[in-house]
Amino acid sequence: MGPQDQPDYVNAVAEIASSLAPMALLSRLQKIEHLRGRNRDGGRWTARTLDLDILLIGNEIIQMPDLLVPHPGIKEREFVLYPLHEIAPDLQFPCGNSLKSVLKKVSRNGLFVIEKEIKWGKELK
């Protein structure tokens, strides 16, 4: 998905707990992007300062004009799948496929880990 000639970038996956409804969560994430300098000028797949996506919400399938969950490209993007495997190796997608089975079909394409641990007052493992 998207052009292959973009500059290098750092990608990460995080699991969060939220009491927000899906559209409210999307709105909050887009506000954070805006506060960090993201300009949504209508261009798709362009370089950006920050891109926060909702990949999954449990086993929910959401099909709304502004929100598709699971994220439409989740099973094709090595930069999502490999970090996701680090935090949820036994994950099952809502369709029933396992993350492990999907990873067998997706090359790393030069993807590499730059850090295993991040320190924000305490070490995360």
Side-chain angles (χ1 to χ4, degrees):
M1 296 185 85
Q4 302 302 310
D5 61 346
Q6 294 188 12
D8 290 344
Y9 53 90
V10 175
N11 200 68
V13 173
E15 179 178 3
I16 65 167
S18 176
S19 60
L20 296 173
M23 286 304 298
L25 177 59
L26 178 63
S27 178
R28 183 74 53 92
L29 293 173
Q30 289 175 342
K31 183 176 181 178
I32 293 168
E33 290 176 340
H34 177 74
L35 291 171
R36 297 293 179 251
R38 169 104 188 241
N39 181 11
R40 291 184 174 272
D41 60 4
R44 191 165 187 188
W45 292 315
T46 58
R48 58 206 69 140
T49 56
L50 183 62
D51 184 24
L52 300 174
D53 292 321
I54 299 172
L55 301 173
L56 296 160
I57 300 177
N59 280 323
E60 288 187 52
I61 296 174
I62 301 170
Q63 295 181 331
M64 303 173 84
D66 294 328
L67 180 61
L68 298 173
V69 176
H71 190 283
I74 193 170
K75 292 183 187 175
E76 302 161 11
R77 296 176 171 174
E78 71 279 355
F79 59 88
V80 172
L81 293 170
Y82 284 93
L84 184 57
H85 183 261
E86 288 185 22
I87 66 170
D90 297 322
L91 181 102
Q92 295 278 346
F93 292 102
C95 66
N97 292 345
S98 71
L99 175 56
K100 289 177 184 175
S101 69
V102 171
L103 269 177
K104 290 178 183 177
K105 301 173 189 171
V106 178
S107 166
R108 280 191 173 268
N109 290 324
L111 183 72
F112 62 94
V113 176
I114 58 174
E115 285 188 39
K116 280 278 188 191
E117 296 179 0
I118 300 170
K119 294 182 181 180
W120 290 330
K122 65 178 182 178
E123 291 185 1
L124 303 176
K125 295 185 180 186

